[in-house]
Amino acid sequence: MTSALAGRGRFPVPDPGVPITTSPVRFLVWLATRHRGSLALATVLGVLCTLAQALVPVAIGLGIDRGLLARDRNALLVWGGAVLLLGVFQAVVGMLRDRASTANRFGAAYRATQLVVRQATELGAELPRRASTGSVVSVSAMDVGHLGTAVEGTARGSGAVVSILFASVFMLVTSWQLGLVVLVGVPLIAVAVARLLRLLHGRQERLRDRQGALTDLSVDIIDGLRVLRGIGGEDVYGRRYREASQDVRAEGVRVATAVANIAFLRVLLPGTLLVAIVWLGAYQVSTGRLEPGLLVAFYGYAVFLTQQLGQVTTMLDQFTRAAVASGRVLGFLGLRPELASGTRPLPDGEPLRLHDPDSGLTVPPGRLLGVVCATDGDARTLADRIGRYGDPAARNGETPLSDYPTEDVRRRVLVADNGATLFSGRLDGELAPGDAHDGEPGHAALLRALEAASARDVIEALPDGLSQEIGGGREFSGGQQQRLRLARALLADAEVLVLIDPTNSLDAHTEGRVARRLGPYRAGRTTVVFTTSPLLLAHADHVVFVQEGKAVAEGGHQSLLAHGDYRTVVTREVLA
């Protein structure tokens, strides 16, 4: 499916590969090693950049001792030039490091996004039942970003570690007392900050869970707002939302407190180390055991180490966040469809002869079938069985659909309901991805589908017509969205098209046009329409009435009106 999706785009999309999912850390390593060349380049450049920065205090110290104090102009010019060259080298290499690091960040985030999207595609209709909206949003919008940031920080973090080691060795050789202070102080600071970071990320994880729950609650409220207003439940859910929002706020304050404490210690602990180094260095200068220039170099190293320690703790912070995020991503990637895919080949060239043994519903191939359900839930249940979205599945002849590969069934049976989404982008590309642009053959097919769905007026009202950029369909009314979704479903040209209430948001005149055009457009192909609209049913080749999950009557619409229960269901739709 991934390759099929990639082929419909304008640009080739590389396959993300098979990730290592045995542990969050191994997954993060796998993600990083997908960009071995640029990762190695960024790391080398990061080390060179910080080493150049680490050599600056040495050059300054030697310039003071051998040039300034010794009054040697040539030596002063030599070491001054060395400082200048190191600065230029550092700037150039730092720019190249940042370019490579940025490429690594976007590459890792994009590959992780590919995996998440591929998993969501494979789960398909099962996704809403397997993961909440909040968790999916958090994984795709936040966790993936943390993974990319961690990969990006490798270059700077590696350079910081190497520069700290270099500075420590230099100080240890020059003055073992100062070197010992650094070698003992740096690990202690790193351990202290790391412990605080673990505490911080525990709180951040709780905050993220509460944010996800709040997102789920807000989605539920928005989806059910009309119903809530009808039953007077706005105040109840308003209180629930305020309570949940306050929980998120309180947890956010706790996270902010931890962040502030860590920021304070990031200044206090390295600053304390800086004071200790300067005090001890000044004492050694006063006793003649250390040259003044080297004291300046030591002071420069103290400031430099403060910066590099901050970089190391930042890298640890990023890795800790990424480890947590990696676990979240793996949790999502670990979801498996509840409906197992079969292995029996689905014969091509033979029309599907669908039959649901539980309800007794039979779908005649090549005809427009209307299905009237006395209970709304039956329509969804039967549509899921026909499309192999639920168990027990319908049969193709005598063979259960569950025996066939799921992709083969999806390719030939399309279930379209009113929960389908119009995505953002150019309208013709949204209705017919990769196959409907002005002047191309697909354009005529798109116009024909729009005509069948009575949606030409929607397009004509747009300033740019089919080239209009849309924002997820928010600019259209409910009826306009429904007609555009119907046009997209018709354009897919599935062998079996299952429509669930395709006209329930349309006025009678528009619904009548759709009813007249649907049959001729789908002539020769199988169409199943779950509806109680007499306008659609009057144009159906055959109608089945389902009551309490069983097909109890069938025939033409006019003949079924003699059935009391059928007439009650259909006329209730008219009176509504």
Side-chain angles (χ1 to χ4, degrees), residues 184-257:
V184 173
V186 169
L188 289 178
I189 293 174
V191 170
V193 174
R195 291 179 64 86
L196 289 174
L197 287 174
R198 282 196 295 270
L199 173 63
L200 170 63
H201 290 302
R203 293 183 178 180
Q204 287 175 329
E205 187 171 356
R206 289 193 295 272
L207 174 61
R208 182 183 179 281
D209 291 338
R210 284 171 170 76
Q211 287 174 330
L214 184 63
T215 301
D216 292 336
L217 179 59
S218 64
V219 171
D220 292 340
I221 292 175
I222 293 171
D223 289 342
L225 186 58
R226 183 176 301 175
V227 177
L228 290 175
R229 286 177 174 172
I231 63 176
E234 290 177 275
D235 292 339
V236 175
Y237 275 86
R239 285 196 300 272
R240 290 186 184 178
Y241 185 86
R242 282 193 295 271
E243 292 171 358
S245 179
Q246 289 303 311
D247 288 341
V248 172
R249 183 195 64 80
E251 196 62 45
V253 170
R254 285 190 283 271
V255 170
T257 301

Side-chain angles (χ1 to χ4, degrees), residues 26-57:
R26 294 193 66 184
F27 173 73
L28 187 59
V29 171
W30 174 85
L31 197 64
T33 54
R34 295 307 90 188
H35 313 83
R36 292 186 182 90
S38 59
L39 183 65
L41 176 63
T43 302
V44 171
L45 292 174
V47 171
L48 292 176
C49 180
T50 51
L51 280 179
Q53 189 177 359
L55 289 172
V56 171

Side-chain angles (χ1 to χ4, degrees), residues 185-391:
V186 169
L188 289 178
I189 293 174
V191 170
V193 174
R195 291 179 64 86
L196 289 174
L197 287 174
R198 282 196 295 270
L199 173 63
L200 170 63
H201 290 302
R203 293 183 178 180
Q204 287 175 329
E205 187 171 356
R206 289 193 295 272
L207 174 61
R208 182 183 179 281
D209 291 338
R210 284 171 170 76
Q211 287 174 330
L214 184 63
T215 301
D216 292 336
L217 179 59
S218 64
V219 171
D220 292 340
I221 292 175
I222 293 171
D223 289 342
L225 186 58
R226 183 176 301 175
V227 177
L228 290 175
R229 286 177 174 172
I231 63 176
E234 290 177 275
D235 292 339
V236 175
Y237 275 86
R239 285 196 300 272
R240 290 186 184 178
Y241 185 86
R242 282 193 295 271
E243 292 171 358
S245 179
Q246 289 303 311
D247 288 341
V248 172
R249 183 195 64 80
E251 196 62 45
V253 170
R254 285 190 283 271
V255 170
T257 301
V259 170
N261 291 336
I262 291 174
F264 170 71
L265 290 178
R266 279 179 172 174
V267 175
L268 176 65
L269 297 180
T272 303
L273 179 63
L274 170 63
V275 171
I277 291 173
V278 173
W279 182 85
L280 183 57
Y283 174 77
Q284 291 187 351
V285 169
S286 65
T287 57
R289 287 182 290 174
L290 191 68
E291 297 179 357
L294 288 179
L295 174 60
V296 174
F298 271 86
Y299 178 81
Y301 274 129
V303 176
F304 173 74
L305 288 175
T306 301
Q307 297 173 348
Q308 300 309 309
L309 278 174
Q311 188 61 55
V312 171
T313 55
T314 298
M315 181 180 66
L316 293 175
D317 180 33
Q318 292 171 344
F319 283 163
T320 306
R321 288 174 183 264
V324 175
S326 179
R328 299 279 189 179
V329 173
L330 288 184
F332 181 75
L333 296 181
L335 296 176
R336 291 292 174 264
E338 295 177 348
L339 300 176
S341 181
T343 58
R344 183 172 180 172
L346 182 59
D348 289 325
E350 299 180 10
L352 295 177
R353 302 179 182 277
L354 302 176
H355 172 71
D356 177 33
D358 278 19
S359 65
L361 175 65
T362 297
V363 179
R367 304 184 69 187
L368 174 58
L369 175 68
V371 182
V372 178
C373 296
T375 305
D376 291 339
D378 287 343
R380 179 78 259 181
T381 300
L382 292 176
D384 284 348
R385 291 178 186 172
I386 294 174
R388 181 58 182 121
Y389 289 104
D391 281 328

Side-chain angles (χ1 to χ4, degrees), residues 533-554:
S533 166
L535 292 174
L536 285 173
L537 295 170
H539 289 82
D541 298 324
H542 194 69
V543 180
V544 176
F545 179 49
V546 176
Q547 195 170 33
E548 296 181 358
K550 301 295 182 181
V552 296
E554 57 182 289

Side-chain angles (χ1 to χ4, degrees), residues 164 167-187 273 277 280 284 298 305:
I164 288 173
S168 300
V169 171
F170 173 81
M171 297 172 75
L172 190 62
V173 171
T174 305
S175 172
W176 68 268
Q177 295 95 334
L178 292 178
L180 188 61
V181 169
V182 174
L183 291 177
V184 173
V186 169
L273 179 63
I277 291 173
L280 183 57
Q284 291 187 351
F298 271 86
L305 288 175

Side-chain angles (χ1 to χ4, degrees), residues 331-531:
F332 181 75
L333 296 181
L335 296 176
R336 291 292 174 264
E338 295 177 348
L339 300 176
S341 181
T343 58
R344 183 172 180 172
L346 182 59
D348 289 325
E350 299 180 10
L352 295 177
R353 302 179 182 277
L354 302 176
H355 172 71
D356 177 33
D358 278 19
S359 65
L361 175 65
T362 297
V363 179
R367 304 184 69 187
L368 174 58
L369 175 68
V371 182
V372 178
C373 296
T375 305
D376 291 339
D378 287 343
R380 179 78 259 181
T381 300
L382 292 176
D384 284 348
R385 291 178 186 172
I386 294 174
R388 181 58 182 121
Y389 289 104
D391 281 328
R395 294 176 175 270
N396 175 33
E398 297 299 322
T399 305
L401 289 179
S402 56
D403 288 357
Y404 301 120
T406 303
E407 287 190 9
D408 290 350
V409 177
R410 297 282 186 273
R411 178 169 47 85
R412 299 179 64 177
V413 182
L414 173 62
V415 178
D417 60 17
N418 292 315
T421 301
L422 290 172
F423 296 101
S424 299
R426 186 167 144 157
L427 182 56
D428 56 0
E430 163 57 21
L431 297 178
D435 192 37
H437 298 286
D438 292 343
E440 297 182 8
H443 181 67
L446 176 53
L447 293 179
R448 184 166 165 263
L450 290 168
E451 183 70 24
S454 190
R456 288 287 293 269
D457 62 312
V458 178
I459 307 302
E460 291 169 355
L462 298 173
D464 297 325
L466 285 170
S467 301
Q468 181 76 31
E469 292 286 333
I470 64 172
R474 291 184 295 272
E475 51 272 272
F476 302 118
S477 67
Q480 290 173 328
Q481 289 188 44
Q482 190 169 50
R483 286 183 282 163
L484 291 173
R485 287 195 296 263
L486 177 58
R488 182 174 60 183
L490 293 175
L491 199 61
D493 198 29
E495 178 183 338
V496 179
L497 176 60
V498 182
L499 301 172
I500 304 175
D501 285 327
T503 60
N504 62 348
S505 296
L506 307 184
D507 61 76
H509 294 292
T510 306
E511 186 178 27
R513 289 195 296 269
V514 173
R516 291 191 300 271
R517 298 168 182 174
L518 180 61
Y521 183 90
R522 292 283 301 171
R525 286 158 294 178
T526 305
T527 308
V528 183
V529 183
F530 287 89
T531 183

